[in-house]
Amino acid sequence: MFITPPLLRLFTEHPHRVHIVRSLLDIFVGIEMTGESVEFEQKFNYRRPMYAIMRFLWSLDEHRRQFVRLARVAEENMHSDRPPLFLRFVNLLMNDAVFLLDEALSNMAQIRTMQTAQENGEWAALPPREQAQNQGFLQHIGMMARFDNILGNETIHTLEYLTSEIRSIFCHSTMVDRIAAMLNYFLFHLVGPKMRNFKVKHVHYYI
């Protein structure tokens, strides 16, 4: 993420810079309940640029300390009637990671099925109009798979760098089972007995 010197000074010298991390997480979480009649998937379009901002903020010591502080506050208030901000943020990251994996793998499986049918000559027996429709649908599914894979990777990467310094909240008794279940779910689907269902040609187009 390229930051010009004047913009960088906003993050390092602005008198209210210490509120940036909290405000960003507040927006990230708030998108979940905007009350607007937008499609469920639209929230991912809103969140996508936030990952780049978070990654940049994490690279700055002062802002990284704000993440750590919010995590500490969350851990101290795990059983509060109103879940603390960082806890809601982490829960959403895990929910999004599982959802995006499901969507990506479903799309990759469809791509594999369509590619196999195309290679076996099944498309050649169809009228030209249906062949064009199939090709268009394959491209559409491919774009969806790419979006889900990219955003899923961003979500996992965010959890990766957060846990490089923030560990205790993820090992809290109310969280550790969810974390373990999420990781087991990933392992089962990505390297389990069905992983061959997601092997597609030209995989670099979709990741």
Side-chain angles (χ1 to χ4, degrees):
M1 183 176 181
F2 177 72
I3 300 290
T4 61
L7 185 57
L8 178 61
R9 286 195 290 273
L10 286 175
F11 291 95
T12 58
E13 299 176 12
H14 195 282
H16 301 301
R17 64 188 180 277
V18 295
H19 303 297
I20 294 175
V21 171
R22 180 178 181 85
S23 297
L24 180 62
L25 298 192
D26 203 29
I27 294 171
F28 188 98
V29 170
I31 289 171
E32 195 75 11
M33 295 175 289
T34 60
E36 297 179 8
S37 57
V38 295
E39 292 185 9
F40 173 77
E41 290 81 1
Q42 185 63 32
K43 69 180 182 181
F44 296 111
N45 288 319
Y46 295 149
R47 284 178 179 156
R48 186 174 182 179
M50 296 184 194
Y51 285 110
I53 300 170
M54 266 187 263
R55 196 162 53 246
F56 169 70
L57 290 171
W58 184 261
S59 71
L60 302 175
D61 289 343
E62 184 176 26
H63 294 291
R64 189 184 309 138
R65 288 194 294 271
Q66 292 302 314
F67 281 101
V68 174
R69 185 187 67 80
L70 288 171
R72 188 182 307 116
V73 170
E75 191 171 2
E76 292 169 355
N77 295 275
M78 292 291 279
H79 302 291
S80 173
D81 291 339
R82 176 173 170 76
L85 176 61
F86 193 83
L87 180 61
R88 284 180 284 150
F89 168 63
V90 169
N91 277 322
L92 285 177
L93 283 181
M94 291 191 291
N95 290 343
D96 286 357
V98 171
F99 174 81
L100 290 165
L101 175 70
D102 279 342
E103 289 294 297
L105 294 185
S106 174
N107 289 328
M108 296 295 274
Q110 285 192 68
I111 291 169
R112 177 180 170 83
T113 299
M114 296 185 75
Q115 286 180 342
T116 301
Q118 187 178 30
E119 290 169 8
N120 291 343
E122 295 176 31
W123 287 19
L126 298 173
R129 183 176 179 180
E130 287 189 38
Q131 290 185 40
Q133 288 176 339
N134 282 352
Q135 190 62 47
F137 185 64
L138 178 59
Q139 291 177 352
H140 174 68
I141 292 294
M143 288 189 294
M144 291 175 60
R146 179 174 172 78
F147 178 85
D148 292 332
N149 279 319
I150 289 174
L151 202 56
N153 283 335
E154 287 278 15
T155 306
I156 293 299
H157 180 56
T158 302
L159 285 167
E160 179 185 8
Y161 65 68
L162 287 175
T163 54
S164 69
E165 289 201 22
I166 302 170
R167 299 185 180 92
S168 57
I169 190 171
F170 292 97
C171 297
H172 191 277
S173 59
T174 61
M175 291 287 291
V176 69
D177 286 344
R178 281 202 67 201
I179 294 288
M182 180 188 72
L183 295 175
N184 285 335
Y185 185 82
F186 286 168
L187 287 171
F188 178 78
H189 284 82
L190 295 175
V191 297
K194 295 182 179 180
M195 68 177 184
R196 64 172 59 90
N197 295 341
F198 313 119
K199 187 176 181 180
V200 300
K201 289 199 168 188
H202 313 299
V203 67
H204 58 282
Y205 292 154
Y206 311 117
I207 57 176

